[in-house]
Amino acid sequence: DESYAVYLKAIELDPANAETIYNYASSLAYRGKKAEAFPVIDQAIAAYGEAEEKINAIAMGARLAAELSDEAKLAAYYAVADASYAGSSTPNLLRFIVSAEWGRKEAAAAAADALAASEGSNPNIVRTIVSTWFEAGEVEAARAFLERNLAKGGEDMAVGTLNFYYAVLLSQGA
């Protein structure tokens, strides 16, 4: 494909351009060359350094690894997220989203519960969990998450946030 030659030439001219490398990896993945995309994704991750866009490359790698059932690569991308975003909700959010998208129910539930424990009062996190499951057709998983974490109790703000999204879910007939 002509676009591959263009990407390769652009990367040759500017090998530190993380966006170009990421876009090339994305193009490979989109066109079904998923296994070929992994080393390019790794190159993009390295090129991003500490830039916040780095998570996009990590997420692409994790999603492809999950899609291809490559547990070693999936664990490696999660390890990069853990190291790059230590102390933040980003690694668990990545684990949750990838797991929910690929039907890994137990892993998704574990990551969601870890997020609720650390970020339960953050409505953006709770909304992301509920809406991701809802969009994946896993309404029961969303409901079980809310019920499980409401039963644990906690600070008023966290319980209020969980109750709000539980009411939203119920209002949708779930």
Side-chain angles (χ1 to χ4, degrees), residues 3-16:
S3 68
Y4 296 148
V6 171
Y7 277 121
L8 291 172
K9 185 63 175 176
I11 292 167
E12 178 186 321
L13 293 171
D14 188 3

Side-chain angles (χ1 to χ4, degrees), residues 23 76 84 120 155 171:
N23 289 334
S84 299
E155 66 173 272
S171 75

Side-chain angles (χ1 to χ4, degrees), residues 34-68:
K34 296 174 182 180
E36 291 176 44
F38 285 122
V40 182
I41 292 168
D42 296 343
Q43 185 181 355
I45 291 168
Y48 276 120
E50 298 303 314
E52 68 180 54
E53 296 84 5
K54 178 179 185 173
I55 189 61
N56 296 329
I58 297 168
M60 183 192 315
R63 283 180 165 125
L64 285 177
E67 180 180 355
L68 299 176

Side-chain angles (χ1 to χ4, degrees), residues 82-167:
D82 289 339
S84 299
Y85 302 96
S88 82
S89 60
T90 300
N92 274 332
L93 194 55
L94 176 65
R95 281 179 176 82
F96 167 73
I97 291 171
V98 170
S99 297
E101 287 175 346
W102 290 101
R104 298 163 173 250
K105 294 178 184 181
E106 290 178 17
D113 288 345
L115 285 163
S118 65
E119 304 286 333
S121 62
N122 184 332
N124 295 323
I125 296 291
V126 176
R127 182 187 67 233
T128 297
I129 292 168
V130 172
S131 65
T132 299
W133 263 325
F134 196 81
E135 290 170 15
E138 295 292 340
V139 177
E140 284 305 314
R143 185 179 184 138
F145 159 76
L146 291 167
E147 289 172 349
R148 198 170 48 248
N149 285 284
L150 280 167
K152 292 176 186 173
E155 66 173 272
D156 288 346
M157 182 66 117
V159 171
T161 299
L162 292 166
N163 268 318
F164 173 78
Y165 283 101
Y166 190 66

